[in-house]
Each structure stands twice: as C-alpha cells, then as structure tokens.
Amino acid sequence: MLSNFRENNLDMPLFSVPADLPKYRVAEALRPHLIEFLLNGNFSIGDRFLSDREVMEATGRSRETIRRALSLLQQEGWIERRGGVGTFVGPRLVMAKQQRQNAPSNPNADKVASFDATTSPDHRNERQLLRLAAVVGSVGSMPLANWFVAPFLHGIDSAAIEEHLSLELLGSHMIRSDELSERLRRHRPDVLVCFGPPLAHATVIGQAQRERIPCIAASVRVPELEIPNVYEDSIEAAARAVRYLFEKGHRRIGFVQAAVTNHGWWVFDRQEGYRRGTIECGMTYDTGLTLWLSNEPNEESARMLEAFIADKHPTALIFGGGQSAANMQWLTTSRKIRVPDDLSVIAFDPDPRNEARMGGVRVTTIELPLHEIGRTVAAMARSLAEGRSVAAATALPCHMIEGNSVKVLKREFN
C-alpha cells in the first residue's frame, strides 16, 4: 500500500502520474515518471523502491503493464528486482545524480531528458524501436533459410528502416511449444507474427493473447484464429493457372493435391480456384479430374498419379503444392512421361527442386508473394503497436513465372 510506503519513507515525495496516460504503450509512457520519482526522492543504491502493487494503485493500470514498466527500468540499471524479495534502487541513480551535480548551470539538469536521449527534444518525434518476434514454419525438414521462409524474413527486413523495427527469430514450429512459450515470456516482444502452419503455433499465439501481445498470422489463411491475417490469394492464383492453360489450347486440365497433415485452408482454396477457373473458361467442371494423394511423395503415390493420367487423359496438370509435384520425379526419371511433350505442367510454389522433378524442364510456376507478405506484416505490426486498427484479412496476389513446361496445343477441343 502507498500509505505503508510513505510511513517507511516519510521524506519521499508521493508518487503520482498525470491522469492522461495514453491508452496504448502505457509502460513506455510511465517509465519517465518513475525515473523522475527516483531522481527527486531521497534514494540511495539498495533502498527499497515502489512495489508492483503500489504503482498499480497509483496509476490504476494492470499488473502486467506495471511489470513491463519496471522491467524497462531494470534493463537500464535504475532498479533491481529480486524475485520473492522486492524492488530496490539500482546503480544508475548515482550516475544520474553525479551528472546533475557536474552541470549545475544547465537549465535542463533537473529533467529526466538529461538522462534519457530518447525523450530529448531532438528525438521526440522519432518512432520508438518496435520489436517484432517471428515464429516460422519451414517446409518439411528443410532448413529455415529455404525458399519458403527466407523471402518472408527478407521482406520484413526490407521494411525495417522505414517502420523502425527490429526482427527477432523466436523459433520455428519444430521447437516444442513449451519452449516457445518460455522464449516469449522472457523476450516479451511488442508484436508476434506466426508464419506457416497455424496449428503448430496455436499454443504460443494463445499465450501471447493472454499477455496482450498483438499477433499476426502470415502466409496461411486462418480465419478461425480471429487475428490479423496476411496470406496469398490462392483461389485467384489457381483460377489464373486454368485460364493460362485454356489460352494455350488445353481443355482437359487436371488438378493434383497432396492431402497430408498440417494443411490448412490454402489446400482447399487452391482446389476451389481450379474449380472456378474451369467454370469461368466455359468448361464442364469434372470432379474426376481432381486427384487427392493421401501419401507423402513416394513410389506408391507416383503409381497413383501414373494411373490417374492413364485413366483420365489430361493434357495438363496443375500441382497444388510441392509435395504433390514431387511424385512426378518417378515418372520423368523412368521416361514414362515427358514434360511438356506428353503432359503440360504448372506447379504452385517456387521449390527449386521442381525442375529436376519434371525431367530438367523449367517449370511454369505460381510464385507466392512471400516478400510482399513480409513487408505487409512489418507495416501492420507498426500499426498494431501504435494502437491503430488493421484489416482482419489481407490477401495478396501471387505471381506467375513462365517456364518451358506448358505446350501450346494446335488442335482445338470442343
């Protein structure tokens, strides 16, 4: 209680703050008031300082906010917090008082700004550094620097200067959820972004929400999470692939997707785009031209794909992801199918292994807007940190990169 604190510290000023503390980033706004209280009070190193509860009662703010504010002071050496014991005055107070004594003619010597460059007039209009932490999901067992993760991180990094942010890699979805949660608790970033399979990130997202850390989900459409979501427009991308093949004379266009674990809405979005594109081109949508492979890429799946091609006679296939496209390697290596002479191909995802899978042919690819997703996340994180509203869902267009895997058919089909 503040009354108890005053009884033990009768020569100390009463701690108080203005009534107009901001709604957001309260801990940062409270920090200079706590420093001023230290400077104006009769404190020495090691003296007991205000407890969390005392600051809560003086400000009317939550324990979480007060702990964040006191944590900032501890990082800068103003106080020391000892678990189960209390909060005590740290060594920086002596340095600050010595600086004040050495500059008695300075009219600003009694101001906190003298000891804090970030609040000085020259820096008052600068944005505060935003700490954005990322949890990423790589593709299978591939390293974090793969084609999926690297462009996203580069996108954030390219916007770091203009958004004044630092990027911290909290971990990947391969790390145990309890370890990720502990890292989040220790680092406590301003904003958390989860990139990749959402179910693998559910625990850390839940913890961040409990601690009121704004969250963003990136790359995968996850409407069920009800957090700001930035992802690729897979529906339009698949429809565009159908239109592209149609313009090249193809009328029997198949769609192949691997229905394996950790897949989300994007799997069905790509299939839905294929359906829409077929109808838009005036063709009859035939569910028999869609193949769902239940296995990971292996010889069994490759035999299923081979039987599908032999039975349905497609002139072109759209592969909905790298796992489904990987099955082509068994067929092209054995020369059972030649791309594009026997079969034209468009594949989602710029996986560098696709060329080898298609027999050395440069594949026409639906490239995900991973770099743009990263830049959008950076801007969105800044808005969230500053208390501004952001769109609940942001779908970014994919890019089509033409290769040599699509053959122009001379014969027109009815």
Side-chain angles (χ1 to χ4, degrees), residues 113-146:
S114 301
F115 310 102
D116 182 10
T118 61
T119 59
S120 68
D122 293 339
H123 296 269
R124 194 167 294 155
N125 294 325
E126 290 187 5
R127 285 177 163 182
Q128 182 165 354
L129 181 67
L130 172 68
R131 295 172 55 238
L132 173 63
V135 179
V136 299
S138 56
V139 178
S141 59
M142 294 176 66
L144 295 179
N146 63 30

Side-chain angles (χ1 to χ4, degrees), residues 2 22 33 67 71 172 174 227 248 256 304 345 364 400:
L2 274 178
H33 296 290
R67 285 180 174 175
S71 178
S172 78
M174 308 294 285
I227 61 177
K248 301 297 183 182
V256 182
M304 292 173 60
V345 169
T364 296
M400 178 175 284

Side-chain angles (χ1 to χ4, degrees), residues 292-409:
W292 293 90
L293 295 173
S294 58
N295 300 320
E296 296 281 354
N298 54 36
E299 292 190 55
E300 180 184 354
S301 291
R303 284 194 293 270
M304 292 173 60
L305 177 59
E306 182 182 9
F308 171 78
I309 295 171
D311 181 47
K312 300 300 181 180
H313 305 290
T315 62
L317 288 181
I318 299 171
F319 286 96
Q323 289 176 307
S324 56
N327 292 290
M328 281 292 291
Q329 189 154 359
W330 278 271
L331 307 183
T332 58
T333 301
S334 64
R335 306 296 291 175
K336 293 180 178 180
I337 291 179
R338 294 170 299 172
V339 178
D341 297 333
D342 301 323
L343 183 72
S344 292
V345 169
I346 293 180
F348 269 84
D349 308 339
D351 192 321
R353 297 171 293 182
N354 280 343
E355 185 170 327
R357 293 164 176 170
M358 304 303 168
V361 174
R362 188 162 52 88
V363 183
T364 296
T365 302
I366 301 296
E367 189 174 62
L368 309 185
L370 300 170
H371 188 273
E372 294 89 340
I373 289 175
R375 289 191 59 85
T376 303
V377 163
M380 185 175 287
R382 171 56 63 184
S383 295
L384 287 172
E386 294 179 352
R388 290 180 275 125
S389 61
V390 299
T394 304
L396 300 179
C398 298
H399 317 289
M400 178 175 284
I401 310 299
E402 291 192 69
N404 302 320
S405 63
V406 175
K407 182 179 180 180
V408 178
L409 298 185

Side-chain angles (χ1 to χ4, degrees), residues 55-165:
V55 183
M56 285 170 58
E57 292 179 355
T59 61
R61 299 307 175 104
S62 69
R63 180 179 296 275
E64 175 188 343
T65 297
I66 301 310
R67 285 180 174 175
R68 172 67 174 157
L70 293 175
S71 178
L72 293 174
L73 265 64
Q74 182 179 25
Q75 292 172 16
E76 297 167 358
W78 291 104
I79 60 174
E80 292 181 3
R81 290 166 65 76
R82 305 171 193 167
V85 180
T87 301
F88 302 88
V89 177
R92 186 167 179 180
L93 178 65
V94 174
M95 293 185 291
K97 287 186 174 181
Q98 288 177 347
Q99 182 177 349
R100 173 181 287 179
Q101 293 171 358
N102 294 335
S105 60
N106 183 355
N108 295 319
D110 61 341
K111 297 182 180 179
V112 177
S114 301
F115 310 102
D116 182 10
T118 61
T119 59
S120 68
D122 293 339
H123 296 269
R124 194 167 294 155
N125 294 325
E126 290 187 5
R127 285 177 163 182
Q128 182 165 354
L129 181 67
L130 172 68
R131 295 172 55 238
L132 173 63
V135 179
V136 299
S138 56
V139 178
S141 59
M142 294 176 66
L144 295 179
N146 63 30
W147 64 264
F148 183 59
V149 176
F152 167 71
L153 297 179
H154 291 161
I156 294 178
D157 187 63
S158 70
I161 294 179
E162 58 195 84
E163 299 298 343
H164 195 45
L165 63 81

